[in-house]
């Protein structure tokens, strides 16, 4: 078997057209969707991500503003900046670029973003809404993962779904989204006994732990859909958490790294920003 590669770039490009049309419609009604990105310090990977998001905003007709703070910024200074952004009517979404410098409480910073502007979907209110089956902003990477799975045409309902990773950014939200689609979900992690055996049960396997080539071909059920969320730099190249060549020989569909989940994360951020602006318009109409 040779797996079909799921082209995240082309799927994201199609969704981006839809987001741009919605942004243009809002702008014509007098509300230009606005996204503020808070960047603290000089992490090179964070700078690459922020630049990608700024370019996506430009393509979608979303106003973007970068708030750059030095690595020496205190917790109070960062929270004061976020509080100012919370109060601005022209900013509908606030994204705090992680990771933060050492000594900063990231949870406290995320909690400082008003839930109505939390376009990353990480605030406890928005995570709680997701768990309660009343989502407002779905975290961007998990939302992108679901679109990629659905693009294959494989029905989630009744399938064995295994999620490797239990982070609030990927693993836990993906698990709840799969449950919403009536999948039978197992969450595996670094302390899971017989990880290979658990993975082999999966009709749909989502891997997001940040360990290069953790999942090998002999851990994959023949015909499975494999979504690789990992992005790891090895010898100046990007590789996923799944050994692509081995997995592609067994799976029916698989996402490449790069070019799989990454582009979906960015376009889902754009989609959430437009949704935030639309909700603002609804409140004031």
């Amino acid at each position: 078997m040779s797996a079909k590669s799921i082209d995240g770039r082309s799927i994201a490009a199609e969704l981006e057209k839809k987001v741009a049309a919605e942004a243009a419609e809002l702008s014509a009604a007098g509300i230009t969707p606005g996204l503020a990105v808070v960047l603290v310090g000089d992490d090179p990977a964070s700078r690459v991500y922020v630049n990608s998001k700024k370019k996506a905003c430009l393509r979608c007709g979303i106003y973007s503003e970068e708030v750059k703070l030095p690595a020496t910024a205190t917790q109070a200074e960062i929270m004061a900046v976020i509080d100012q952004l919370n109060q601005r009517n022209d900013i509908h979404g606030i994204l705090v670029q992680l990771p933060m410098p050492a000594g900063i409480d990231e949870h406290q910073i995320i909690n400082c973003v008003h839930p109505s502007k939390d376009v990353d979907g990480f605030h406890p209110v928005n995570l709680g809404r997701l768990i309660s089956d009343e989502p407002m902003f779905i975290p961007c990477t998990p939302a992108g993962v679901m679109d990629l799975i659905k693009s294959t045409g494989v029905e989630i309902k009744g399938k064995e779904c295994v999620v490797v990773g239990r982070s609030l950014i990927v693993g836990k939200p993906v698990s709840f989204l799969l449950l919403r689609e009536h999948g039978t979900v197992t969450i595996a992690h670094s302390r899971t006994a017989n990880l290979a055996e658990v993975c082999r049960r999966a009709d749909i396997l989502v891997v997001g732990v940040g360990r290069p080539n953790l999942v090998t071909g002999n851990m994959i059920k023949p015909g499975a859909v494999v979504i690789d969320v990992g992005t790891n730099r090895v010898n100046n190249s990007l590789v996923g958490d799944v050994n692509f060549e081995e997995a592609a020989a067994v799976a029916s569909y698989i996402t490449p790294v790069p070019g799989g989940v990454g582009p979906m994360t960015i376009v889902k951020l754009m989609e959430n920003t437009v949704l935030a602006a639309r909700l603002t318009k609804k409140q004031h109409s």
Side-chain angles (χ1 to χ4, degrees):
M1 180 179 292
S2 182
K4 292 181 181 175
S5 183
I6 304 171
D7 187 351
R9 288 192 178 101
S10 66
I11 296 167
E14 284 303 307
L15 180 54
E16 194 175 89
K17 290 176 190 174
K18 180 171 172 282
V19 172
E22 291 177 2
E25 190 179 309
L26 279 168
S27 294
I31 296 179
T32 299
L35 174 67
V37 178
V38 179
L39 179 62
V40 183
D42 298 299
D43 181 75
S46 291
R47 167 47 60 197
V48 170
Y49 293 142
V50 168
N51 287 345
S52 296
K53 289 160 186 172
K54 286 166 77 172
K55 288 174 184 173
C57 283
L58 191 61
R59 293 193 301 270
C60 290
I62 293 170
Y63 167 72
S64 71
E65 185 173 314
E66 180 183 323
V67 181
K68 178 81 168 65
L69 296 172
T72 53
T74 65
Q75 185 96 13
E77 287 168 341
I78 300 167
M79 290 173 69
V81 163
I82 293 170
D83 191 50
Q84 289 171 359
L85 293 170
N86 280 334
Q87 295 175 51
R88 281 177 52 181
N89 293 329
D90 61 330
I91 295 296
H92 304 97
I94 302 170
L95 181 143
V96 179
Q97 184 64 50
L98 303 178
M100 289 269 138
I104 299 297
D105 184 339
E106 291 183 351
H107 289 290
Q108 195 176 358
I109 296 296
I110 289 166
N111 292 359
C112 188
V113 176
H114 194 280
S116 68
K117 297 191 178 190
D118 169 41
V119 288
D120 247 344
F122 294 158
H123 192 284
V125 166
N126 285 317
L127 289 172
R129 289 183 69 114
L130 174 61
I131 293 168
S132 303
D133 217 14
E134 298 176 336
M136 182 163 65
F137 299 118
I138 296 172
C140 302
T141 298
V145 165
M146 296 303 292
D147 278 11
L148 293 173
I149 294 170
K150 290 176 182 179
S151 77
T152 67
V154 172
E155 189 177 25
I156 298 170
K157 182 170 67 175
K159 295 293 194 301
E160 288 275 354
C161 305
V162 174
V163 179
V164 184
R166 52 181 168 175
S167 72
L168 283 175
I169 295 172
V170 179
K172 288 176 182 174
V174 164
S175 301
F176 282 105
L177 290 170
L178 288 165
L179 279 171
R180 289 185 78 218
E181 298 289 339
H182 311 295
T184 300
V185 181
T186 300
I187 303 176
H189 45 79
S190 60
R191 291 175 178 79
T192 297
N194 303 317
L195 179 62
E197 186 181 312
V198 173
C199 289
R200 275 193 295 271
R201 296 205 305 260
D203 301 304
I204 297 169
L205 178 64
V206 181
V207 188
V209 289
R211 289 178 58 186
N213 298 314
L214 171 69
V215 174
T216 52
N218 63 357
M219 297 169 68
I220 293 167
K221 180 179 182 177
V225 175
V226 179
I227 308 294
D228 187 354
V229 187
T231 306
N232 311 285
R233 192 163 288 281
V234 177
N235 298 326
N236 290 323
S237 63
L238 289 179
V239 300
D241 291 350
V242 177
N243 185 308
F244 184 85
E245 287 74 19
E246 290 184 12
V250 184
S252 60
Y253 294 91
I254 186 169
T255 55
V257 176
V261 175
M264 295 301 296
T265 298
I266 292 174
V267 75
K268 284 295 180 180
L269 174 66
M270 302 298 109
E271 189 176 56
N272 276 351
T273 302
V274 170
L275 171 60
R278 194 162 63 239
L279 291 172
T280 299
K281 179 177 180 290
K282 198 173 178 181
Q283 287 167 5
H284 293 95
S285 61

